[in-house]
Amino acid sequence: MLEWLRRQAMGMVSEAAMERGVEVQGRLFTSAHYSEEAPALRSDAELAGAVEHLEYSVFRRRRNQLTRAERSRLDNTIDNALFKIDRYLGRMAEEAQAVWRARVEPLRVELRQGLELAEHRRQQARRAEARLAQLDHLTPEDFEEFAAELFEAMEFQVERSGGTGDEGIDLRIERRGLVAIVQCKYYRRGVIGSPELQRFLGSIRHAHAHKGYFVTTRTFSLAAEKFAAEHPIELVDGPRLVELVHEALGPGRRTSEEPQPWLAFEDEDFPPPSAPRKRARPR
């Protein structure tokens, strides 16, 4: 390393020396470590490091589940990196600027679109939370809309398909290549049995979907749960609805008093469960 530094300072590094590997250490890294505390970028290597840091920060901001404090810190990190990058680019020649801006500008667009989408999903989750609190006053149509908002808040693309001749398909949803259908059943009393799930399985196969979600305000019989465990059906009942709304709201966001939708439809024949059963979350 010392020998290489001496040669570099004296301008004595020749092509032959490079071929022998003398300059390997100097050519190994194309970017320098990015320091958030540094007030400015001082070299092209630090610029490259700042852009790499920005790319990773934007990825985390869009793809990771973060608490409010983590989002705030990451937003500050991104703003500071963009400020220093822009100030450094302002001192470069136009041709060099164009090369770097072609790499930075897509990150700005991705970040802006991601923040807009995240805010939209937060609004959907808040609306779903409000509907959950009033679950005993919803109409079947309102319940279907509630389910659509909930799946959209969980990053699914949602298409409404309910109505006459819907063949048991109220929603078509898609996320990262997963195509599924959703059936929404708003019942004030009763238990969902396996015959309804058998008909729903036929709808899943007819729609060529990967799986199906059966969403209801009530509970499922043991036979229905066994049938769902053996087929690509995920059961979502009252307690699970509460869990999904909380998951959609994100970490650190909980209501002061959790609504319990199964209590709203309590009757003598079908008492509420003493403890909600855990179910696998949608994948």
Side-chain angles (χ1 to χ4, degrees):
M1 172 65 79
L2 291 175
E3 179 64 23
W4 180 86
L5 288 172
R6 281 194 289 269
R7 290 175 177 272
Q8 187 73 10
M10 299 173 59
M12 296 175 59
V13 180
S14 64
E15 291 295 327
M18 291 174 63
E19 291 176 1
R20 293 198 304 272
V22 174
E23 231 186 352
V24 167
Q25 182 68 28
R27 292 183 294 156
L28 184 59
F29 303 104
T30 58
S31 62
H33 172 71
Y34 172 72
S35 173
E36 291 195 57
E37 291 74 21
L41 304 177
R42 296 168 297 180
S43 67
D44 288 359
E46 287 190 3
L47 172 63
V51 172
E52 289 176 359
H53 179 82
L54 180 63
E55 288 172 338
Y56 178 60
S57 297
V58 170
F59 174 85
R60 286 190 61 207
R61 186 63 175 84
R62 287 208 59 184
R63 303 297 180 86
N64 292 178
Q65 193 174 39
L66 306 169
T67 65
R68 183 176 301 178
E70 289 171 335
R71 288 197 301 269
S72 179
R73 286 195 295 269
L74 201 53
D75 287 343
N76 288 335
T77 292
I78 292 172
D79 289 342
N80 291 338
L82 284 171
F83 171 77
K84 287 188 277 190
I85 289 171
D86 287 340
R87 195 163 67 167
Y88 188 86
L89 292 181
R91 300 194 299 266
M92 298 179 71
E94 291 187 5
E95 184 176 346
Q97 275 191 43
V99 173
W100 283 104
R101 291 196 185 280
R103 186 174 171 183
V104 173
E105 291 309 314
L107 294 175
R108 292 186 199 271
V109 174
E110 181 181 356
L111 179 64
R112 183 172 61 253
Q113 293 176 343
L115 292 177
E116 291 173 353
L117 182 59
E119 179 58 28
H120 173 71
R121 286 171 177 159
R122 279 195 293 272
Q123 292 175 0
Q124 294 291 80
R126 293 189 191 106
R127 283 197 289 269
E129 182 186 31
R131 289 179 186 269
L132 182 64
Q134 302 295 325
L135 201 56
D136 55 332
H137 302 301
L138 298 182
T139 65
E141 292 74 19
D142 290 335
F143 182 66
E144 186 177 313
E145 181 65 29
F146 158 71
E149 291 174 344
L150 180 56
F151 279 102
E152 189 169 349
M154 293 191 298
E155 302 184 11
F156 283 92
Q157 295 178 339
V158 180
E159 177 187 349
R160 297 282 295 274
S161 57
T164 304
D166 61 10
E167 297 180 344
I169 303 173
D170 295 316
L171 305 173
R172 297 176 186 273
I173 60 176
E174 182 176 354
R175 183 177 67 180
R176 293 192 287 274
L178 169 68
V179 178
I181 63 172
V182 181
Q183 185 170 124
C184 306
K185 290 297 182 183
Y186 184 82
Y187 291 143
R188 287 188 172 273
R189 62 183 63 198
V191 174
I192 306 297
S194 59
E196 291 193 65
L197 296 188
Q198 292 171 16
R199 290 191 291 271
F200 183 48
L201 179 62
S203 297
I204 296 172
R205 291 170 174 169
H206 184 265
H208 303 291
H210 293 94
K211 67 183 298 183
Y213 294 91
F214 198 106
V215 184
T216 181
T217 50
R218 292 304 302 172
T219 56
F220 298 92
S221 68
L222 293 178
E225 292 186 346
K226 181 180 179 181
F227 182 83
E230 298 171 350
H231 297 90
I233 300 175
E234 183 156 340
L235 306 180
V236 182
D237 59 6
R240 184 57 179 147
L241 282 172
V242 176
E243 294 178 356
L244 292 180
V245 169
H246 285 173
E247 290 176 17
L249 288 168
R253 177 68 170 88
R254 295 291 184 268
T255 53
S256 57
E257 182 177 354
E258 294 187 359
Q260 297 181 333
W262 62 88
L263 296 181
F265 310 123
E266 184 174 339
D267 58 69
E268 295 180 357
D269 295 329
F270 302 101
S274 57
R277 290 184 292 273
K278 283 285 188 179
R279 302 194 191 281
R281 70 177 61 186
R283 292 186 293 274

